[in-house]
Amino acid sequence: MHVIICSSPEEAADLVAREILDALSRKPDLVLGLATGSTPIRVYDRLLHAHQEDGADFSGVRTFNLDEYIGLPPAHPHGYRTFMHDHLFGGSNFTRENIHFPPTEGPDLVEKCTAFEAKIRDAGGIDIQILGIGSNGHIGFNEPTSSLASRTRITSLTEKTLRDNAPFFDAGEPQPSMAVTMGIGTILDARRILVQAFGLKKAEAVRQSVEGPVSSFFPGSALQLHANVTFHVDAEASSRLTMQAFYRRSQENVKELEAKNVL
Ligand code: F6R
């Protein structure tokens, strides 16, 4: 597990966006796993900028979003399709047919979840998965006690997640309590995972994910089972890590090797 303690969320977003754009320059039909929420917005801003100012071409990129609420019509202002349209797809040249969201409508929703997994496999698997992390440790909407082997499926949201996400809904507006999410097993199949977490609110989630025991009770800890994960955190989100000095020194060591052209 790599931990990069960044000077700010901006620096983290620069690093994540740079890695995506580098991968895109090597593979124009890159397969991206995408997250919603406040965490990835700065990365999406940078991808938009790269398209609008530097001509980055996303037309061949295939995308798979992590999750979507059940019960919201596709164009609902608080649905994740709308979020992705507003923050990334609308201002860039992603191709409509290459954009995939977990299914949320019946009939046969369970079969549709299986078909979503098949679509990921048919695309050759996810090259880079972007992740945020919930304050209760969820990744995607894999809430505590989600099986570490879980696949895309229907799930219920915990009270904690409902409270955390309530500010995104208008007062009195019904808030969905179910979703379809990629499973932890689905996420772990990605070849590269880029996690970001910012602020004190995420400090415990980062500590448990990076340094805690692997447990379905804290889904972020499942990332320890993946060989190619990097956590990009700010000082506040890193504040409960016990090995901060080691992570900083490891960062310096990598920079040194890069400067010597060893990497
Ligand atoms: C969003 C998602 C969630 C969020 C997490 C953090 O697609 O899967 O796991 O990444 O809830 O949300 P923010 O970034 O709003 O703190």
Side-chain angles (χ1 to χ4, degrees):
M1 204 114 163
H2 300 285
V3 178
I4 301 187
I5 302 174
C6 300
S7 56
S8 64
E10 280 67 30
E11 187 194 0
D14 285 343
L15 292 172
V16 171
R18 175 51 41 215
E19 184 163 341
I20 294 170
L21 291 167
D22 284 350
L24 176 67
S25 67
R26 291 190 300 272
K27 185 180 178 190
D29 62 346
L30 196 65
V31 182
L32 288 178
L34 298 177
T36 56
S38 53
T39 307
I41 289 177
R42 293 179 187 84
V43 171
Y44 298 152
D45 286 346
R46 282 153 180 77
L47 298 183
L48 278 179
H49 185 272
H51 170 69
Q52 292 166 0
E53 304 298 323
D54 308 324
D57 179 10
F58 295 105
S59 60
V61 173
R62 280 84 50 83
T63 68
F64 291 88
N65 262 79
L66 274 170
D67 40 22
E68 178 59 288
Y69 291 116
I70 292 177
L72 296 185
H76 192 280
H78 299 135
Y80 288 165
R81 288 170 190 271
T82 306
F83 175 97
M84 290 307 303
H85 178 271
D86 293 349
H87 289 284
L88 183 62
F89 298 147
S92 54
N93 72 333
F94 285 85
T95 307
R96 205 187 173 85
E97 309 78 70
N98 290 344
I99 294 172
H100 304 92
F101 283 86
T104 54
E105 284 172 358
D108 303 325
L109 187 49
V110 171
E111 286 75 9
K112 286 177 180 167
C113 291
T114 308
F116 181 75
E117 290 270 338
K119 274 189 204 150
I120 297 176
R121 276 198 306 279
D122 291 348
I126 291 175
D127 292 306
I128 300 180
Q129 175 69 56
I130 311 240
L131 282 185
I133 186 162
S135 58
N136 67 351
H138 73 210
I139 49 175
F141 273 141
N142 292 288
E143 299 283 37
T145 72
S146 295
S147 160
L148 303 189
S150 53
R151 312 301 307 189
T152 301
R153 70 196 185 291
I154 302 163
T155 188
S156 293
L157 306 181
T158 59
E159 296 301 324
K160 174 94 178 86
T161 296
L162 291 173
R163 273 199 308 276
D164 283 353
N165 290 352
F168 297 108
F169 290 85
D170 300 329
E173 184 187 7
Q175 186 185 347
S177 63
M178 295 184 81
V180 172
T181 182
M182 280 187 200
I184 296 177
T186 321
I187 292 169
L188 293 179
D189 280 349
R191 283 181 275 279
R192 174 84 170 116
I193 302 181
L194 300 173
V195 191
Q196 295 179 96
F198 308 122
L200 268 185
K201 203 179 151 202
K202 300 292 174 75
E204 184 57 19
V206 169
R207 186 188 73 78
Q208 296 227 36
S209 298
V210 175
E211 297 181 347
V214 174
S215 162
S216 67
F217 202 61
F218 211 86
S221 66
L223 297 169
Q224 294 173 32
L225 299 170
H226 193 281
N228 201 5
V229 178
T230 301
F231 271 72
H232 300 80
V233 293
D234 64 1
E236 288 187 339
S238 73
S239 59
R240 293 210 187 128
L241 291 172
T242 63
M243 290 179 50
Q244 285 176 50
F246 171 71
Y247 305 133
R248 289 189 192 278
R249 192 158 47 76
S250 302
Q251 262 172 262
E252 290 312 314
N253 288 344
V254 170
K255 278 187 195 152
E256 207 176 301
L257 292 181
E258 277 170 352
K260 289 182 183 158
N261 256 338
V262 175
L263 301 180

